[in-house]
Amino acid sequence: MRDTWSSLFTGKQDCVCKSCRASFNKIASSPERRYVKGTELEGALDSIFCFYSYNSSMQNYFQRYKGEGDHILHLVFSKELRLREPCVPIPSYQDSSFKRSFCHVDELFCGNNLLHLLKKTTSIKQSSRNLAQRIQSSNPFELLPGAQVPEKIVLIDDIFTTGVTMNQAAAILKKHGAKQVHGICLVETLEKNDETETRKGIKL
């Protein structure tokens, strides 16, 4: 990736060169995850769609965007992530020690009508847990006080791994009146035989 400050002077929204953009693996996938089958989360999420697979280029992107707080990199995918329906972001846990100065999911989907309906009640990151721990964990989401839940909702997030987070959020929204909850993520991590393996090399 080129120095991101250069786009401030050129007036262009693209922060990457053609070769770097080509290194992202576009898949347009509707991944199926069976991990919540037979649990209370089964059926919470009606569908999921992802634009890219998680490869080394995407790892570097998220390290800079989320790990180092390089805010302007939200523009890299902004044109692709414009949706017709209002979107509900998966929230991050925030407290007085929260270091990043922006909400990374909100900024990725900044060209959309965002509805903030949920809050996260724990600071524990799903990426620090294996599959069993994710499935067995209590639901970390709550509805914001006074939130009005529409019947049809599009949940948005950055990375789709096991699907537990999306299904947990969808379960809360359906509990409060949503009839359909569909998910859209920028990136899908490919399934592995060892389901305890999570994304490596990113400090978030």
Side-chain angles (χ1 to χ4, degrees):
M1 291 186 187
R2 63 172 72 122
D3 292 331
T4 54
W5 53 261
S6 63
S7 64
L8 297 175
F9 298 95
T10 62
K12 298 179 181 179
Q13 287 194 333
D14 201 346
C15 300
V16 296
C17 63
K18 291 183 179 179
S19 62
C20 289
R21 185 171 290 284
S23 69
F24 296 121
N25 185 29
K26 194 162 188 177
I27 55 172
S29 169
S30 299
E32 181 181 355
R33 295 292 190 265
R34 301 173 297 277
Y35 313 132
V36 299
K37 188 174 182 179
T39 73
E40 61 182 11
L41 296 177
E42 183 176 1
L45 190 67
D46 293 292
S47 69
I48 178 69
F49 180 87
C50 304
F51 291 85
Y52 292 87
S53 67
Y54 189 84
N55 60 9
S56 60
S57 295
M58 195 62 76
Q59 176 181 326
N60 292 333
Y61 168 78
F62 276 109
Q63 178 61 52
R64 289 184 59 175
Y65 176 55
K66 292 175 65 176
E68 300 173 15
D70 198 346
H71 172 262
I72 201 169
L73 289 179
H74 78 280
L75 295 174
V76 173
F77 302 104
S78 61
K79 291 182 179 180
E80 298 175 78
L81 298 179
R82 291 176 182 170
L83 310 174
R84 296 179 180 178
E85 301 287 340
C87 305
V88 177
I90 295 290
S92 299
Y93 179 80
Q94 298 189 32
D95 60 14
S96 59
S97 64
F98 191 69
K99 296 180 180 180
R100 198 184 307 124
S101 60
F102 59 93
C103 295
H104 65 280
V105 176
D106 288 26
E107 293 303 304
L108 277 176
F109 291 84
C110 64
N112 296 279
N113 178 15
L114 302 182
L115 303 177
H116 293 92
L117 303 180
L118 300 168
K119 69 175 181 178
K120 189 175 182 182
T121 59
T122 176
S123 60
I124 299 175
K125 296 181 176 67
Q126 289 285 47
S127 58
S128 68
R129 293 167 163 164
N130 61 33
L131 176 61
Q133 291 170 332
R134 294 184 189 204
I135 294 175
Q136 295 168 7
S137 64
S138 59
N139 199 316
F141 300 110
E142 292 181 357
L143 197 70
L144 287 172
Q148 300 295 315
V149 179
E151 290 191 354
K152 184 177 181 181
I153 289 175
V154 176
L155 269 176
I156 54 174
D157 204 0
D158 55 350
I159 301 175
F160 185 86
T161 304
T162 64
V164 173
T165 296
M166 275 277 184
N167 277 279
Q168 287 174 326
I172 295 296
L173 293 169
K174 284 192 170 179
K175 179 181 177 181
H176 292 277
K179 303 299 183 185
Q180 296 182 46
V181 181
H182 303 277
I184 291 182
C185 293
L186 174 62
V187 178
E188 172 198 359
T189 59
L190 299 179
E191 278 190 284
K192 300 179 182 295
N193 291 330
D194 179 7
E195 301 299 353
T196 65
E197 190 169 345
T198 54
R199 301 185 302 278
K200 296 179 179 178
I202 304 183
K203 299 177 181 178
L204 303 181

